[in-house]
Amino acid sequence: EVQLVESGGGLVQAGGSLRLSCAASGFTKDDYAIGWFRRAPGKEREGVSCISSNDGSIYYGDSVKGRFTISLDNAKNTVYLQMNSLKPEDTAVYSCAVSFSPTVVLGVNPWKVYDYPYWGQGTQVTVSS
C-alpha cells in the first residue's frame, strides 16, 4: 500500500522558515515524481514544487521560486520542502503526492493533478503577518 506522510507544518511569522517532510512508502518503481501542492481557503489547489527521481529534475511554482527548495533523500524515501522567506499568502494546507505517470516524471506537466494517484493527508502551514 502506497503511503505518504507529511510533517513539519505549523505557525510561523512572516519572513520565517519551515521545513516540510514527505515520507513515502509502499512502492518499488524506480521512476516516480513527488509533488507538493497547497490549497488555501477559497482558492484552487496550486502546484508548489516537484522533484523527479528519473533525473532529479526539479520544478517550482512561480509564486515560490527563489524561496522554496525541494530535495529528495533516496535512502530515507523522503522528500523535503524547505520554505524560506515565508509570506502570509503562503498560508495553506500543504500536501505531497506521488506520480508514476511519464507526463509528470519526465516533466511534461508536473502539475497535472489527475496523474497523482496517491496523496498524503496534508499539513497546515500558517504564516502570520
Side-chain angles (χ1 to χ4, degrees):
E1 180 186 3
V2 177
Q3 287 190 328
L4 299 165
V5 180
E6 303 101 334
S7 61
L11 173 64
V12 64
Q13 289 189 332
S17 299
L18 283 173
R19 188 177 80 156
L20 305 183
S21 299
C22 173
S25 63
F27 61 91
T28 58
K29 291 188 177 183
D30 292 332
D31 292 333
Y32 61 91
I34 300 288
W36 281 100
F37 295 81
R38 67 186 183 186
R39 177 171 278 172
K43 294 187 177 181
E44 293 187 356
R45 181 179 289 151
E46 177 186 9
V48 175
S49 186
C50 176
I51 186 166
S52 172
S53 72
N54 180 52
D55 60 359
S57 292
I58 288 173
Y59 309 93
Y60 294 103
D62 289 341
S63 61
V64 306
K65 284 179 181 177
R67 300 187 298 122
F68 291 11
T69 303
I70 193 171
S71 60
L72 169 63
D73 185 331
N74 278 307
K76 296 182 179 180
N77 287 333
T78 299
V79 171
Y80 301 98
L81 185 68
Q82 178 67 42
M83 306 186 297
N84 298 329
S85 302
L86 283 162
K87 306 174 181 179
E89 50 263 46
D90 293 318
T91 295
V93 175
Y94 285 69
S95 300
C96 64
V98 64
S99 175
F100 307 108
S101 166
T103 299
V104 175
V105 174
L106 298 178
V108 175
N109 184 357
W111 315 125
K112 193 174 180 184
V113 171
Y114 291 108
D115 278 355
Y116 287 86
Y118 302 101
W119 291 74
Q121 81 285 356
T123 185
Q124 177 71 44
V125 171
T126 303
V127 184
S128 63
S129 57

